[in-house]
Amino acid sequence: MAQPSQSHDPADPRAEFVSALHRLRGRLPDVSDEVLARRASATALPSGRRVTVNARRVGEWLSGRSVPRDFEQVFALVRAVETAGGVAAGSAPGPSVEGWRRLWRAAHEHRAPARTPTATAPAADLVVGRPPSDAASLRRRPELAAAIDDALADPAVRQVVLTGPGGSGKSQLAAAAFHRARGSGGLFAWIGASSRQSVLTGYARTWRALAAGRHEQPGARAPDGYGHDEETQADLLIAWLRAAPQPWLLVLDDVDDPADLDGMWPLGDAGRCVVTTRRRDAVLLRPESRLIPVGMFTPAESVAYLRSRLAADPAAGGAGPDSTPAVPDAALLRDSDVGADAELSSGPDDEPAGLAAALGHFPLALSQAAAYLIDTGTPLAEYRRLLADRRERLADLFPASSPADGHARTVAGTWQLAAQRAAALAKPGTAQRLLELAALPAPTGVPEQVLLTDAACAWIGGTRREASAALRALHRLSLLTHADGAIAMHALVQRAVRESVPEPDLPRLARAAADALEQAWIAGVDPAALYDSIEAVRREAGEHLWHGGMHPVLRRIGEHLNRVGRATAALGEVEDLLREGRTRLGDEHRDVLVLRTQAAETRGDLGDAAGALAELRALLADARRLLGDDDPDTLQVRLHIARQRLDLGDPAGARDELTTLSHDAARLVGGEHPLTLATRRYVALTLGLGGDPAAARDAFARLAEESSARRGPAHPETLNLLDFLGRWIGESGDAEQAVATYQRAVAGLDALVGPLHHDTLTARHNLAYWRGLTGRHDLAVAEFSVAAADAVRAIGPRHPTTLTFQANLAYWRGLAGDPQRGMTELGDLQPVIDEVMSPVHPRALRTRQQRAELRHRAGDPTGAGEELTAVLRDMRQALGDAHPRTREAAAQLAAWDAA
C-alpha cells in the first residue's frame, strides 16, 4: 500500500476518510456492495480471525452517515479490494495500513458539537419502546414487586438485575415496575437486549425520540450532531444519560450475553436501569447493582393463577367456579409448612392445586398448561394423569399451538437457547453432557460432588476442573442453581432435557448417573443427601441399572432406610427390588442373595428376630455355596446373623461370632473396610448388653480415638461413635459425663450436617434422655419438646425417629410431675407406632411399658401391674427372655409385686 495523499482539508477528517473510501471503492466498479461485503467478511485478519461486514453498513460509510466502529472492518474491506486486484487505470496508490488507521481514527474521534436536549425535565413522561402487555390473570407477586421498588428507591443502587430461568416472569415484573415508576416526568425507555444490535437499535430510537422532543419545543433549532447512524445515536444517548440532570429509567429486557453491552451500560446519577436476564455472570454483580432472583410462583400464587385463568372459560379443564370448591386464602398461604403442596392438593376436587404442584409452580408451565386446557377442552384431572405418565412427551403436553400468554417459547424449548449459551462458556460438549447428567438425580439438594466424580468426568469427557467450569456455566445461564455446595434444577427442565437425549444414549447416561452417586457415597458424602437422587435415578431410568447385574447403588436404598430407622419403608423397597432381581437375574445371582439378606435383616428390625435369624442361616448356606466363605457378601450375612442373636438376648453368643468375624474381615477386606469397623462396633455393643458397661465404654472410647486419629475429630464416624460412647459412660454410673459426651456429639454434628439431620436428631434425643436421668426432668422435657418439633419439620410426623421423640417426651412429662398427661399422650401415640413399626417392634413394646410405669406413678399400681404383665408376655414372645428389655420389664414387675 502507498502512503496516503496529504492534500486534504484537516478541518474535516470524516470527509477525508469518505473520500479515501470512494477512491478504494472505485477500484471495483463492477462489484456490488453485497459481493464486496461478503468478500470482506471472508478475509482473514493478521490474527487469523474474521469480522462481519454488512453491505448496508458499507453504503453508510461511503455516504458519510457513519464511521466503522472497529478498524478491523476497514482492514478487511481494503484487503478484499486489493486481493481482488482492482486498480483503476491511471489511479494513484492508496494509503498504507497505518495511513488507513490514521484516517479511520481521526474520522472516528471526530464529532460535531452535539446539541443535547434541555436540562429541564419535560412536562410529561417521554416513553420509548413497548413493554410486554400484562399476562392474562397476571400475578402481582407483591414481595418481588416491593423488592424492585425498594432497590429503585435506594440512592446507592444504579442497576436492578432480575435474574432467573426463562419463563419465570422477569419481564412481567420489570414491566409492572416500569409503569409504576412513570408519572413524575423524565425518560422511560424499554429496550430489547437479546443482542448487541437490538440494544444499538433501541438506544438509537431512544435518542431520536429524545432529540425530536427537544427539537419540537418553541424556539428550538435543529440539533447539531444529531447522528445519522445507530452507532452514533447510541453513543450520544450514553453520553446524555451520564450527564442528564432529569430522571430516567431504562429497562434492558432479556439480556442474553452481558458481553454484548460492553461499553454500552447506561450510567448516570439521575437514572436507574432494570435488567432482566437468565444470566448470573460476575459482570452483573457490581457494587451499585441489586440482584433480585426471580423463581417460581408460591403455591398460593399458582393456584390463584390457574383458577383465575381457567375461570375465563367455565368449560376449560372442568375447573370453573362451579366445579371446584374455594380454598381459603389462609390455607393457600402456608408456603413454609411441611408438605404444603400435598396439603393443597389433598382434596379430590382441588385439581388446580394438584396441577400447580405437579408443574412445580413454574409460571411458564402454568400459563401454557392453562392455554392447552382452554384450547383442547381437556379435563384438568385427565391432564394431570397425562403429565404424570412418563411415556408422554412435554412437546405434546405443552405444544406450540397453545402458546403461553406473553411468552414466545414453550416449556419444552425454553431451556435450549440457554443451553446453547452455556455451551460457549465451557469446553465444547461438556456443558450439554453435564446438563444431561444433572437431569437424572433429584431436583433439589444434590451434593455438588456428584457432578464432579470420576464417573461424571468420564461422561462429559473432561477433567474435574472442566466439569466444574461446565457446572458454573449452567449456573450462569440459570439452567440449574449451584449454591452452598448443592445443586437444584427444576423438575420440568430435567424432564425436557431427558427427553432430548437420544434413545441409544439413555442406558449409558443412567449408568453414569448411578456410578456418580455410588462414587459420592463411597467418598463419604452424606447418604441422606444422596438418597433422594438414587431414588430419582431408579424412578426415571431404573430399567437400565440391571445390565449384567443390579447396579451397586441400588443396594444403598435398603441400607440407608434401615440406618435412619425407616424399617417398614426399607422392607417395601427391598422386596420390590428383590422381585425385579429374581425376574431379571434368577434366584442364585449374587445381587439376589444381597437383597434377601437386606430383607431378612429388616424383618428382624421390625420385631421378628427369630424369623430373621432362621432366614439368615439358610442364606448363609446359599452364600457359602455360591460365593464362597471369604466373599464380602458372605461376611455380611454372618454380621446380620450375629446382630439377630444379639436382639434375641444372646450377647455372649453374638460376641463370639462377631469376634471371629472381625478377625476374618480384617484379614480379607482390611481393617478400614466399613464391614470390619461395623463388626468392631457390634463387638463393643455386646459387651454392654452382656452386662459389662465399663468394658463397652472402654471399647467405644478406643474406637472413637482411632476414628479421630484416622479421620479427624469432626468426621461423622467419630461423632457417631461419641454418641454410642455417651450411653455406656452413663450406664457405667457417670450420668453427668454421659451428658457432656452427648453435648460434644451434638455440637459436632450440628456444625457438620445441621440440627435437622437424622444423626443430629438422634444425638439430641439421647442428650435429652440422659438429662432426665441426671434428675433434670424439666430440662429434659424442654429439650425433647424442641427436638420433637424439629423432627416433625425435618423428617415428618410419622417417621420412627419422630415417634420415638414424641413417646419419650410424653414419658418424661409424666416423670416431671404430670403422669396423667404423659399416659394420655402415650395412649394416643400407641396405635400410630403400632401401624408404622408393628405391634411387636421393640419401640412399640417399650411405649406400652412406659405407659404402665406412669400409671403406677399416678397411683394405680393394680392397673399398672396388669398392663406390665401383658407387655412382659408379649416381650417374651417377640424378643425372648434374654433380651435386655424383657429382663428390665421382668425386674420392674417383680419389684412392684414385692412392694
Side-chain angles (χ1 to χ4, degrees), residues 55-387:
R56 181 175 64 84
R57 291 292 189 198
V58 171
E60 290 179 354
W61 301 338
L62 290 167
S63 68
R65 284 183 293 154
S66 67
V67 176
R69 180 175 289 271
D70 301 309
F71 177 70
E72 291 174 334
Q73 295 172 309
V74 179
F75 182 91
L77 192 66
V78 172
R79 183 56 56 86
V81 172
E82 291 188 342
T83 301
V87 179
S91 63
S96 66
V97 172
E98 286 307 313
W100 276 110
R101 190 186 301 276
R102 286 194 296 272
L103 285 171
W104 167 79
R105 182 178 291 114
H108 188 266
E109 294 175 354
H110 176 71
R111 291 285 188 272
R115 184 216 29 87
T116 301
T118 181
T120 59
D125 297 343
L126 176 59
V127 180
V128 184
R130 187 179 300 115
S133 301
D134 288 351
S137 301
L138 177 69
R139 297 298 96 192
R140 300 299 174 186
R141 308 180 80 169
E143 291 186 4
L144 286 170
I148 296 169
D149 290 346
D150 290 346
L152 290 173
D154 188 337
V157 175
R158 292 286 177 267
Q159 185 180 85
V160 181
V161 181
L162 306 183
T163 181
S168 58
K170 303 180 294 296
S171 295
Q172 289 287 327
L173 286 165
F178 184 83
H179 294 308
R180 287 195 302 272
R182 292 176 49 192
S184 58
L187 170 65
F188 297 87
W190 184 279
I191 296 169
S194 59
S195 68
R196 187 174 183 85
Q197 183 57 52
S198 66
V199 176
L200 279 172
T201 300
Y203 279 10
R205 180 184 182 191
T206 303
W207 174 254
R208 290 193 298 269
L210 189 64
R214 171 67 183 95
H215 177 57
E216 292 169 0
Q217 293 181 9
R221 59 186 181 83
D224 297 325
Y226 178 87
H228 294 284
D229 65 276
E230 290 183 347
E231 293 183 355
T232 302
Q233 291 167 353
D235 290 343
L236 291 170
L237 176 68
I238 293 169
W240 181 86
L241 294 174
R242 186 177 287 275
Q246 58 260 58
W248 53 265
L249 175 65
L250 263 65
V251 176
L252 299 175
D253 185 37
D254 193 24
V255 172
D256 187 44
D257 185 352
D260 287 342
L261 280 97
D262 284 350
M264 298 178 66
W265 290 104
L267 301 172
D269 291 341
R272 301 292 183 271
C273 173
V274 175
V275 177
T276 71
T277 181
R278 59 168 58 90
R279 302 291 290 257
R280 293 186 278 204
D281 299 57
V283 69
L284 297 170
L285 306 177
R286 304 178 179 188
E288 69 275 11
S289 298
R290 177 80 55 83
L291 194 72
I292 300 178
V294 178
M296 304 301 107
F297 280 161
T298 65
E301 288 167 343
S302 296
V303 174
Y305 171 81
L306 282 175
R307 287 207 173 114
S308 174
R309 186 77 176 94
L310 296 178
D313 181 357
D322 297 330
S323 64
T324 304
V327 176
D329 288 345
L332 294 178
L333 290 174
R334 291 196 294 254
D335 298 345
S336 61
D337 289 357
V338 173
D341 288 1
E343 180 177 335
L344 289 174
S345 58
S346 60
D349 295 326
D350 198 4
E351 293 291 347
L355 178 58
L359 295 175
H361 312 292
F362 191 0
L364 175 61
L366 291 161
S367 178
Q368 203 175 357
Y372 180 86
L373 292 171
I374 292 171
D375 288 344
T376 64
T378 302
L380 204 155
E382 175 62 20
Y383 186 78
R384 284 185 63 191
R385 283 191 289 271
L386 290 171
L387 190 65

Side-chain angles (χ1 to χ4, degrees), residues 492-506:
L492 279 181
V493 177
Q494 285 185 306
R495 182 170 174 180
V497 173
R498 289 196 302 268
E499 290 179 0
S500 74
V501 177
E503 191 72 26
D505 289 347
L506 286 175

